[in-house]
Amino acid sequence: MQGFGLVFYNFPGHTLEQFAQYAGQAGFAYCEIMVGHLWNEKDPSDYAEARAGEVGTLLRQHGLRPSAVAAGNDFLRGDEAGLQQQVERLKRVCRLARLAGTDLIRIDGGWIREGVSEDREEWFRRIVQGLQAMRPFIEAEGYTLALDNHGLVTNDADFQARIFEAVGSPRVGANLDTMNYRWAGHDLDTVGRYYHVIAPYARHVHMKDGRGSRETYRGTALGEGEIDLERAVAELRAAHYQGPWCVEFEGERARAEEGYRQGLEWLRAHVGA
């Protein structure tokens, strides 16, 4: 699945069709889409399977394939019933993603909110439990789950690696977002080390640049921020990464189209044609 893609998230004011038209014309081959493009979960009568097929057709008409579907799942549930509901939901997301044209699902570990323990070992236990519950299904059906270093729960490569080793499936790996470790507050030396730690587990990549962390974070186009993107590429290559290289732009929304084009140019110059 080698090739260049872009991420729908944060794309300003565009329908999926407008986004796909832009992406195809700009020269991208892949795009990551959101589960909401396929499934209106608030509508019990929603026929998501038909919509997923329609989305796949729409993307192909613009010369695109989905690199991944962002699931928006949450394994940090306070009871077994809640966790099992998330497992069953994620299975449906997998099936919908395949109808749209991909077997790769970008997942989250969970979200800190009222009622969620602040104990990282509890987070670890819940995430591993959820992924182990998914393992027979994804291995039998041929799906791949890419755990994002997003938010504050899984934004630590050592913590992610512990999860992957505990689950023990080659079909469970990482989505490496090159900016997110820095966003969470890690210094640049730690971010560089994290690239080395996580690259062997990478199944999907968000190439993203910026400056600062948390309240001081400002997104930029690739090559305009403080992130050592070349090191990220080198670590991924050394680990024989075979997935898509997807640009994510979190700068000013008015510059989104320009930012994505700059990102594609950067990838062509530093990753290859």
Side-chain angles (χ1 to χ4, degrees):
M1 194 195 279
Q2 287 274 297
F4 301 143
L6 76 171
V7 179
F8 181 91
Y9 167 73
N10 205 43
F11 211 82
H14 284 58
T15 66
L16 182 61
E17 184 167 8
Q18 290 169 326
F19 169 78
Q21 182 176 10
Y22 161 79
Q25 290 176 348
F28 290 98
Y30 293 94
C31 62
E32 180 193 281
I33 58 176
M34 316 293 288
V35 66
H37 291 125
L38 312 178
W39 181 15
N40 179 3
E41 296 182 67
K42 295 181 179 180
D43 181 0
S45 66
D46 182 59
Y47 188 40
E49 285 72 16
R51 183 179 299 107
E54 291 167 359
V55 167
T57 299
L58 169 66
L59 296 179
R60 288 192 298 274
Q61 288 173 344
H62 293 281
L64 298 167
R65 288 180 56 194
S67 63
V69 171
N73 62 293
D74 185 352
F75 288 136
L76 299 189
R77 296 291 173 162
D79 55 34
E80 295 301 318
L83 182 63
Q84 186 59 38
Q85 183 274 334
Q86 286 291 300
V87 168
E88 295 305 316
R89 175 188 178 277
L90 187 51
K91 289 179 181 179
R92 187 174 188 194
V93 175
C94 288
R95 296 186 180 104
L96 293 173
R98 176 167 285 169
L99 291 173
T102 182
D103 295 327
L104 198 154
I105 318 300
R106 178 170 66 83
I107 64 170
D108 293 299
W111 304 97
I112 301 171
R113 63 188 182 283
E114 186 177 355
V116 171
S117 169
E118 295 183 7
D119 181 359
R120 291 183 64 82
E121 290 307 306
E122 177 66 12
W123 298 349
F124 174 82
R125 186 181 74 81
R126 284 289 179 179
I127 295 168
V128 169
Q129 185 179 357
L131 291 173
Q132 285 179 334
M134 287 294 298
R135 181 176 175 176
F137 171 77
I138 62 173
E139 291 185 349
E141 301 293 332
Y143 296 104
T144 298
L145 305 180
L147 178 65
D148 205 352
N149 57 319
H150 184 64
L152 295 174
V153 173
T154 55
N155 223 326
D156 178 313
D158 296 323
F159 185 69
Q160 289 175 281
R162 280 185 63 208
I163 291 170
F164 302 142
E165 293 302 315
V167 175
S169 173
R171 291 199 167 273
V172 176
N175 179 74
L176 169 56
D177 184 305
T178 56
M179 181 70 215
N180 277 354
Y181 294 129
R182 176 60 176 150
W183 173 89
H186 301 292
D187 61 51
L188 292 172
D189 287 341
T190 300
V191 171
R193 182 179 72 81
Y194 278 179
Y195 293 157
H196 179 75
V197 170
I198 210 66
Y201 302 100
R203 303 294 184 266
H204 194 260
V205 168
H206 287 181
M207 298 298 295
K208 186 166 73 187
D209 205 352
R211 294 184 179 276
S213 59
R214 307 292 284 278
E215 295 82 4
T216 67
Y217 167 60
R218 296 293 181 271
T220 70
L222 297 188
E224 294 182 352
E226 63 183 352
I227 299 303
D228 190 350
L229 297 171
E230 293 186 25
R231 176 167 183 179
V233 171
E235 295 288 1
L236 287 162
R237 286 195 178 284
H240 307 291
Y241 174 68
Q242 295 297 312
W245 304 79
C246 289
V247 180
E248 183 175 358
F249 177 76
E250 287 189 337
E252 297 177 18
R253 284 196 164 201
R255 289 191 58 220
E257 294 190 10
E258 175 189 352
Y260 275 111
R261 287 194 180 94
Q262 286 182 235
L264 181 57
E265 291 172 3
W266 192 96
L267 288 176
R268 285 171 170 163
H270 293 84
V271 176

